[in-house]
Amino acid sequence: MFDLHRLRLLRELKHRGTLAAVAAALSYSPSSVSQQLAQLEAEAGVVLLEPVGRRVRLTEQAEILVAHTEAVLERLERAEADIAASLTDITGSLRVAAFQTAALTLLPVALTRLRAAHPRLRVHVTQMEPERALPGLLARDFDLVITEEYPGAPGPRPDGVEQEDLYEDPLNLAVPRPDTPGGHPSPAPGTGTASAQAMLRSLADRPWVMEPEGTAARRWAMALCRTAGFEPDVRFESSDLVLHLRLVEEGHAVALLPDLVWNGRAPTVPLHRLPQGHG
């Protein structure tokens, strides 16, 4: 019989990549993790890890064990859920990760409703970008992740993860007001892809604010500008869309902002809707 705790450690290693990352995530020492995995190898009677440079890689037999561990953990989680559903008052903890605008606009209302319906449920929320949140869900750091997709760039859909579309969030080209220091007349409004590209091209010489390199938002924004025929002058980088808005309000940059930034309030800068754009 395999030790479930050690099986969890092997599974964590698959998702986190290094013994040090597993140790840090679970508050163990790397040597302790290594010892536990060595004992699991002895239980299995096969080699589970092989060195690759300074790291280790799971063997084929280890991958088989991890697949079965995933199934066992899923059944245990279903058992916990079934027990919780049998109770009149749901208790325990719900760990949620959400990107910024969802955390600002969608989560507070959901938390209010949860508090009214299940006052003893403890909800822990972490603001985190999708690039980190989804791996955290797979590693079971979170129970629920609110993520986003951009037009033409569907996100990953891992096996074993249930996914539900919540909201279509239109995307806009946000420009400084003409009376703002450093501002200039807004591009002429229009409809359709050609008009959107013309608006973008009219701002080719302006400073831009975008999300950091490596994010889905940045890849989408760069592709949008390049399709319009120019390389944007990205002078400001931040994952904080409130900062993006402030830079536009003060006339320092042009931005691509979703409707959720305003949370139902009237926009404070001129907006130009991008066709079929949503987050």
Side-chain angles (χ1 to χ4, degrees):
M1 182 70 67
F2 295 118
D3 181 272
L4 183 58
H5 170 68
R6 293 172 189 145
L7 289 172
R8 284 179 183 267
L9 290 178
L10 185 65
R11 179 192 174 281
E12 290 287 328
L13 181 58
K14 174 178 173 60
H15 288 291
R16 299 187 188 276
T18 66
L19 292 171
V22 173
L26 302 180
S27 299
Y28 294 149
S29 67
S31 61
S32 175
V33 174
S34 181
Q35 290 171 8
Q36 291 292 315
L37 291 176
Q39 291 181 41
L40 181 60
E41 279 192 332
E43 291 175 357
V46 294
V47 175
L48 299 178
L49 305 176
E50 53 189 13
V52 179
R54 295 184 176 181
R55 305 179 65 168
V56 293
R57 179 172 59 198
L58 272 65
T59 64
E60 179 182 353
Q61 291 71 34
E63 294 284 359
I64 292 172
L65 266 183
V66 168
H68 285 286
T69 301
E70 297 277 13
V72 169
L73 292 177
E74 182 180 354
R75 289 302 300 267
L76 289 175
E77 288 177 352
R78 287 184 181 178
E80 290 178 352
D82 289 344
I83 290 173
S86 71
L87 301 173
T88 56
D89 188 13
I90 295 179
T91 61
S93 296
L94 177 66
R95 301 162 300 170
V96 181
F99 62 97
Q100 185 193 30
T101 48
L104 284 171
T105 58
L106 302 180
L107 270 180
V109 175
L111 290 172
T112 300
R113 294 177 179 176
L114 274 175
R115 182 176 59 192
H118 308 292
R120 296 181 61 195
L121 178 65
R122 176 184 175 89
V123 183
H124 186 274
V125 176
T126 301
Q127 181 185 316
M128 186 176 290
E129 295 309 303
E131 288 77 17
R132 293 175 53 210
L134 190 55
L137 178 67
L138 297 176
R140 286 182 166 79
D141 291 337
F142 304 108
D143 304 302
L144 173 68
V145 165
I146 303 177
T147 183
E148 61 184 348
E149 290 184 350
Y150 284 83
R157 299 173 183 262
D159 292 337
V161 173
E162 296 182 12
Q163 183 164 319
E164 187 76 23
D165 291 335
L166 293 179
Y167 185 79
E168 284 198 356
D169 189 13
L171 290 158
N172 310 278
L173 175 63
V175 299
R177 296 185 304 273
D179 59 346
T180 302
H184 70 115
S186 296
T191 59
T193 302
S195 294
Q197 290 184 354
M199 283 193 295
L200 288 165
R201 281 195 297 271
S202 72
L203 299 166
D205 62 344
R206 301 292 296 170
W208 286 73
V209 55
M210 291 185 181
E211 297 198 37
E213 291 278 5
T215 61
R218 178 63 172 267
R219 290 191 292 269
W220 170 79
M222 293 297 291
L224 192 70
C225 293
R226 288 167 178 165
T227 300
F230 70 97
E231 192 74 15
D233 178 11
V234 183
R235 299 191 197 176
F236 309 98
E237 295 186 44
S238 174
S239 58
D240 186 345
L241 296 188
V242 176
L243 174 59
H244 289 212
L245 175 57
R246 290 292 295 130
L247 289 170
V248 178
E249 288 175 334
E250 293 298 322
H252 295 298
V254 174
L256 298 161
L257 296 175
D259 277 0
L260 280 179
V261 167
W262 286 275
N263 193 19
R265 296 185 294 270
T268 55
V269 295
L271 300 178
H272 302 274
R273 185 75 83 208
L274 297 172
Q276 300 179 348
H278 58 84

